[in-house]
Amino acid sequence: MEKKYVVSIDFGHGETAAWLVPLDATEVNAKYGESLRLKATNHENLRMLPSVIYADKNASFSLDNTVGDVVTCFKDKVVNLGLAANKKKKTAYISYIKEIYKKLLELNTKLKSDGKGNTNFYLCIACPTKWEQEDKDDYIRFFNSALQEFNVKVMWVINESDAAYFTHGSSEEYAKQCVLVIDYGSSTIDYTVIDNGEKISDDNWSNAQLGASNIERAILEACRNDSDFQGIYETTQRKLNESGMEYISILSRLEFEIRKEKERSVTDSYYPNFGFNYNLVGTQTGYGRTKEYDAEKKRYKFEYDGNISMIIEIENYINAVRKDFETLQKNILKKTKNKGIDCVILSGGACQMPWVKGTVKEVFRAKTIEVDNLASFVVAKGAALYAKAQIEALELLKNKIRAINFSQIYEDADSNATVSAIKSMMPDMIRTLKSRSNVTGNTVRREFCNFIKGLDDQNNRYCLLVQGELDGLISKSIANAIHEAIKSVFKISIDTKDVKLHVAADVIPWNSILFEPGGTFYEAFTNWIDSTSGRFIFTWDKVRVNPERDKIIDGTADTLIEVASNNRLADYPKELVNHFAENIQRQAIAIAEELFYEKQLFKTTFAK
């Protein structure tokens, strides 16, 4: 099935969003793509889903049946999900991945899959920037294991803050600026800094402890400190037990409902004022539909009302975020030699809290601060756009490599190596020849012919010279191709001077007949020497002694160097050269692809 789209899913700690970018430049929304539906709505900003899944008493999971236990905050490193204490969370996450994939196909008619591994889209994801390479490798394997029943694979994963930058920073307007991306989510605050088109930030600058979920946990603790909380909790637990729903975690459900209210308070612009009331019994057990419930429903209502910025834990949290920003600013100033930040891009749902922009403005003093209108989709959008750019740039790179004349490169490498070999290896032969007493012109011709014939695939020293020349010429060509492909697509100019390729290639063996009387090299060599009659004159069969002998030998050597520097000494069969060139091209494309992933704007992790 032809690939028509790139689909990116941002499995966030708090919410999950998906984005689609067409590969065909003529399609609608081809430049920036569009959000994908994870729920049935035409409102673009509401198409994401909270990262929660519901479990019934049999531990069966569902996105649609909200009666039951709520499992949330399951996104984590795979090594942590493997702990015994996280068994339920791991199972929930696997189920959530499957349900999200089914939602994508169900609600978005552009996406096609035959269930046999053939889709009309590539699939990619994002992960926290601070994760180590091993964690990213584990994560992509975890996803592909979860999706195995659908015969589909996630192709690659990219850092979340890197993706967020590309949503905004793929245009040339940022090419000469120092841009900071703060991707502020529920579990982490991730940072990417791009200076003059180059990533200068260390992924370890990101913070995996200061996600915005700290706020709902602090509100929950404030609720629990209320004098009425324990009584309501015990009454609710009793009713759940009576209803056969003792498996429901009251605290998990409360934290989720508080998070939704926190997000609503930001969206509706009454943050930090916070009003919360929730009756779990009324929504879960069915008791809420009885007459008896009306008389006692207050006994089950959890409530909190107030200015949440006054909660000491939240005040401490906000101060901790500010200190983390200040540490980041010091790191940036050190990297940029006190130049600082020109622009800050804020992404992630948590960046919409009013205090965030104010704190960023005070700490970084950037000329501009940008907040995306679709903050929840920034990572998914950037990941899809970057994946599309990768595909375009890589295909452009491959086409540039296919256009390289590797036959000519091979012949040039051989010619250059021959000249080098003559200059470096011939002196030993000349010394030996000069030590002989009975030397004729025929002897000189024979020894020089044998010397050139000896520059073949059995001569290790010569083979190393050919390989070195070949690697040098190919490296230069591939470096230029990578530079041009990346500049064309990513709009940045990178330094590829350090690109070094080793493309293993055999030395084409000489046809020994070339060097025998009547052979093309033998006859040409005779003509070359005859043409130097202005330098020295001799007959071929007369014995020569020193100094005439040495003059003839030195003159012949000079002639050979001059001719070899300007001509190929002998031609190889064209079919054989083309065969070697095809083999070199295959190797060059494979190696260049790896170098491309290292040299492009951001590094991504690919499925293995």
Side-chain angles (χ1 to χ4, degrees):
M1 194 179 299
E2 181 186 0
K3 300 295 186 187
K4 293 185 175 182
Y5 307 103
V6 174
V7 171
S8 171
I9 311 175
D10 175 24
F11 287 88
H13 194 73
E15 60 188 9
T16 295
W19 198 268
L20 171 146
V21 178
L23 292 172
D24 185 348
T26 64
E27 195 166 322
V28 177
N29 296 324
K31 188 172 183 180
Y32 297 114
E34 61 190 80
S35 63
L36 288 169
R37 293 175 179 83
L38 293 179
K39 59 184 177 184
T41 177
N42 287 327
H43 195 302
E44 189 174 32
N45 209 11
L46 298 177
R47 292 177 178 177
M48 64 281 187
L49 280 177
S51 295
V52 300
I53 196 164
Y54 303 91
D56 63 18
K57 65 191 307 178
N58 297 316
S60 295
F61 295 98
S62 171
L63 287 180
D64 301 316
N65 182 12
T66 60
V67 174
D69 197 19
V70 62
V71 186
T72 184
C73 300
F74 35 62
K75 180 178 178 178
D76 205 342
K77 295 180 179 180
V78 177
V79 66
N80 294 335
L81 291 172
L83 300 175
N86 291 331
K87 183 178 179 180
K88 182 176 182 180
K89 188 164 76 168
K90 179 180 180 180
T91 306
Y93 199 8
I94 292 171
S95 298
Y96 185 75
I97 292 167
K98 293 178 180 180
E99 292 300 313
I100 289 294
Y101 182 73
K102 287 190 284 188
K103 286 286 185 187
L104 276 177
L105 296 181
E106 174 190 337
L107 299 175
N108 300 277
T109 56
K110 287 184 177 181
L111 304 183
K112 308 294 182 186
S113 173
D114 64 3
K116 299 177 181 178
N118 299 307
T119 65
N120 69 340
F121 57 89
Y122 295 106
L123 188 60
C124 59
I125 57 175
C127 71
T129 299
K130 194 178 177 71
W131 282 8
E132 300 293 336
Q133 186 59 49
E134 184 178 357
D135 298 318
K136 296 172 185 178
D137 291 333
D138 287 344
Y139 199 53
I140 205 166
R141 283 193 291 267
F142 176 77
F143 266 82
N144 285 336
S145 176
L147 293 170
Q148 191 170 7
E149 67 181 80
F150 306 106
N151 293 306
V152 67
K153 283 189 175 184
V154 171
M155 298 302 294
W156 56 83
V157 60
I158 185 173
N159 290 346
E160 289 167 353
S161 55
D162 291 352
Y165 169 82
F166 205 70
T167 296
H168 297 266
S170 54
S171 62
E172 292 182 76
E173 65 182 289
Y174 293 104
K176 294 184 179 180
Q177 295 189 46
C178 188
V179 181
L180 164 64
V181 176
I182 300 177
D183 180 40
Y184 193 177
S186 184
S187 63
T188 63
I189 308 180
D190 287 347
Y191 308 121
T192 289
V193 184
I194 306 293
D195 188 21
N196 290 312
E198 180 183 358
K199 181 175 177 178
I200 64 169
S201 52
D202 187 325
D203 289 348
N204 285 322
W205 292 357
S206 296
N207 195 302
Q209 309 299 323
L210 291 178
S213 57
N214 283 279
I215 292 179
E216 49 258 35
R217 286 196 290 270
I219 298 172
L220 177 58
E221 284 304 307
C223 288
R224 294 179 70 179
N225 290 331
D226 186 88
S227 58
D228 296 330
F229 180 88
Q230 191 60 34
I232 298 170
Y233 182 93
E234 291 173 359
T235 302
T236 298
Q237 188 65 67
R238 263 195 310 274
K239 182 56 69 174
L240 289 175
N241 294 346
E242 291 171 8
S243 305
M245 306 183 80
E246 66 283 349
Y247 63 92
I248 292 179
S249 167
I250 298 173
L251 294 180
S252 293
R253 176 68 72 157
L254 284 175
E255 185 174 333
F256 175 50
E257 296 299 328
I258 288 171
R259 188 180 90 202
K260 289 195 294 183
E261 188 57 44
K262 178 199 74 174
E263 292 166 354
R264 189 179 300 117
S265 74
V266 172
T267 303
D268 295 346
S269 302
Y270 60 85
Y271 180 96
N273 294 322
F274 185 84
F276 169 76
N277 65 78
Y278 179 68
N279 190 318
L280 191 151
V281 168
T283 60
Q284 294 292 306
T285 64
Y287 182 58
R289 292 186 290 273
T290 66
K291 292 180 180 180
E292 294 84 353
Y293 171 77
D294 287 336
E296 61 173 1
K297 58 184 178 183
K298 289 185 178 180
R299 297 174 59 203
Y300 304 109
K301 186 182 290 187
F302 294 95
E303 294 181 278
Y304 182 86
D305 188 23
N307 184 330
I308 59 173
S309 66
M310 303 300 289
I311 297 174
I312 187 64
E313 287 82 1
I314 293 179
E315 183 180 350
N316 291 339
Y317 168 73
I318 292 173
N319 287 334
V321 171
R322 182 186 183 93
K323 287 181 180 178
D324 202 58
F325 287 171
E326 290 171 348
T327 299
L328 174 63
Q329 172 70 335
K330 291 177 183 177
N331 288 333
I332 293 170
L333 290 173
K334 186 176 180 180
K335 276 277 188 177
T336 61
K337 297 180 180 178
N338 293 318
K339 183 177 73 171
I341 294 296
D342 296 309
C343 174
V344 178
I345 295 172
L346 294 174
S347 73
C351 73
Q352 297 178 83
M353 291 183 290
W355 64 267
V356 176
K357 188 172 182 180
T359 303
V360 167
K361 187 175 182 179
E362 291 174 11
V363 172
F364 297 101
R365 301 184 182 278
K367 297 173 186 175
T368 57
I369 298 175
E370 299 182 8
V371 183
D372 199 283
N373 292 328
L374 294 174
S376 297
F377 289 90
V378 169
V379 170
K381 180 180 178 181
L385 288 171
Y386 193 79
K388 179 186 177 182
Q390 273 187 327
I391 293 168
E392 290 177 349
L394 186 57
E395 189 57 35
L396 178 59
L397 173 61
K398 289 179 179 179
N399 287 336
K400 286 182 177 296
I401 294 174
R402 293 185 186 107
I404 295 172
N405 188 339
F406 285 100
S407 295
Q408 186 62 53
I409 284 180
Y410 183 89
E411 291 181 359
D412 289 345
D414 181 79
S415 293
N416 293 346
T418 300
V419 173
S420 296
I422 290 171
K423 291 179 178 179
S424 63
M425 298 165 63
M426 194 166 59
D428 290 339
M429 183 271 290
I430 290 174
R431 279 193 293 273
T432 301
L433 186 57
K434 286 181 177 181
S435 68
R436 293 170 59 176
S437 56
N438 297 321
V439 174
T440 66
N442 285 325
T443 306
V444 171
R445 177 169 51 190
R446 167 52 52 203
E447 292 301 324
F448 275 89
C449 281
N450 288 341
F451 172 77
I452 296 300
K453 184 170 69 172
L455 303 180
D456 61 7
D457 58 325
Q458 301 301 311
N459 187 328
N460 183 63
R461 191 173 168 189
Y462 177 69
C463 290
L464 290 175
L465 287 172
V466 173
Q467 184 67 67
E469 290 287 344
L470 186 65
D471 287 346
L473 293 173
I474 292 176
S475 294
K476 184 177 180 180
S477 297
I478 298 302
N480 289 336
I482 293 173
H483 182 274
E484 291 171 10
I486 290 176
K487 186 174 183 180
S488 175
V489 174
F490 293 101
K491 311 303 181 187
I492 58 172
S493 184
I494 62 166
D495 184 3
T496 55
K497 292 178 182 176
D498 63 340
V499 167
K500 304 295 181 189
L501 275 79
H502 172 66
V503 179
D506 295 328
V507 171
I508 298 178
W510 293 116
N511 182 345
S512 60
I513 295 175
L514 298 173
F515 306 94
E516 302 299 329
T520 54
F521 180 83
Y522 186 94
E523 296 304 320
F525 188 55
T526 300
N527 292 332
W528 293 333
I529 296 173
D530 281 341
S531 69
T532 63
S533 56
R535 296 183 193 170
F536 54 92
I537 301 172
F538 69 95
T539 55
W540 289 102
D541 56 355
K542 184 178 178 181
V543 176
R544 306 291 175 172
V545 295
N546 197 29
E548 188 180 17
R549 174 200 61 199
D550 293 354
K551 182 179 179 181
I552 293 172
I553 293 171
D554 290 337
T556 303
D558 291 341
T559 299
L560 185 57
I561 291 173
E562 181 180 321
V563 171
S565 298
N566 295 289
N567 305 275
R568 279 194 53 77
L569 296 185
D571 291 325
Y572 294 118
K574 206 65 181 175
E575 290 183 4
L576 193 56
V577 174
N578 290 339
H579 172 73
F580 272 47
E582 289 171 5
N583 180 46
I584 292 169
Q585 184 190 80
R586 282 193 296 272
Q587 292 185 68
I589 288 176
I591 297 171
E593 186 171 347
E594 292 298 318
L595 287 170
F596 165 78
Y597 294 134
E598 293 294 330
K599 285 290 183 180
Q600 62 179 319
L601 184 59
F602 300 121
K603 184 178 179 181
T604 48
T605 300
F606 290 82
K608 296 177 180 178

